[in-house]
Amino acid sequence: LWTYFQPLGPPLLMLWLWVQATAHFERRHVAFEACFPESERKWLAPSKDICSMCMMLTWLIFGGLALCARLCAAATPTAAGGAASQPPLAPLLVPPLLYFSLALILLLPLTVMRKSSRMFFARTVLKVLVPLQPVGWADFLLADMLTSLAKSSSDITRSVCLMMHGA
């Protein structure tokens, strides 16, 4: 169970740290957006918006963990009932649905949760993965963060493989 949810912890923590950094910059009136080119500054979200996105993602991840734990506990056979021959399906569906919903939130085409910022993030991820154009500050910053999350990223890959094989 923990295998599916553990890889989401470090990226979520990184996002919460980004909220704290932007809030600190805003309180001190530090123009951190000056690091970004003029064309990219309009997509930077204020700390209040990032915080609301973090809260939503935190509730989604921990809610999925709680739901999965509850379904696993409900499916655990009692000593009098004997051992189940096959694991129940419901707890196994929660992690793939959670991963799918997180990807859907990022690429959701509706104008909610700062669509322009989410699309900017998606374009920056694409530019980091396919570096065939000049590298900007946002590309460098995201690549540096993803490098720091290399272990967590490999855990996500391993979790997806385990989900695909039903382990």
Side-chain angles (χ1 to χ4, degrees):
L1 176 66
W2 180 248
T3 305
Y4 301 131
F5 294 94
Q6 182 270 336
L8 300 174
L12 187 62
L13 177 62
M14 178 195 67
L15 202 53
W16 275 110
L17 291 173
W18 182 253
V19 168
Q20 293 302 313
T22 55
H24 179 74
F25 291 150
E26 288 171 0
R27 277 193 309 272
R28 301 278 184 180
H29 303 290
V30 175
F32 73 96
E33 59 272 351
C35 297
F36 295 88
E38 188 68 38
S39 61
E40 296 176 354
R41 288 183 196 166
K42 62 184 172 194
W43 291 309
L44 296 175
S47 63
K48 181 182 173 186
D49 291 349
I50 302 170
C51 185
S52 65
M53 286 186 256
C54 280
M55 283 298 263
M56 193 263 319
L57 291 174
T58 302
W59 279 106
L60 184 66
I61 291 170
F62 282 103
L65 176 61
L67 176 65
C68 193
R70 176 70 180 112
L71 290 172
C72 284
T76 303
T78 61
S85 61
Q86 194 169 339
L89 182 62
L92 298 177
L93 289 177
V94 174
L97 290 175
L98 176 66
Y99 279 61
F100 177 74
S101 64
L102 290 173
L104 186 67
I105 287 170
L106 177 63
L107 301 173
L108 188 69
L110 301 175
T111 55
V112 294
M113 295 186 320
R114 295 191 56 96
K115 177 186 175 192
S116 60
S117 295
R118 288 185 293 110
M119 293 302 118
F120 172 64
F121 178 73
R123 280 191 303 273
T124 304
V125 168
L126 185 62
K127 285 172 34 180
V128 166
L129 295 176
V130 186
L132 300 176
Q133 57 274 353
V135 176
W137 173 249
D139 309 329
F140 170 77
L141 185 61
L142 181 63
D144 183 54
M145 288 178 191
L146 291 177
T147 300
S148 299
L149 293 170
K151 171 70 171 98
S152 178
S153 300
S154 71
D155 290 346
I156 289 174
T157 306
R158 189 175 324 119
S159 295
V160 169
C161 289
L162 286 171
M163 283 186 261
M164 297 298 287
H165 291 344

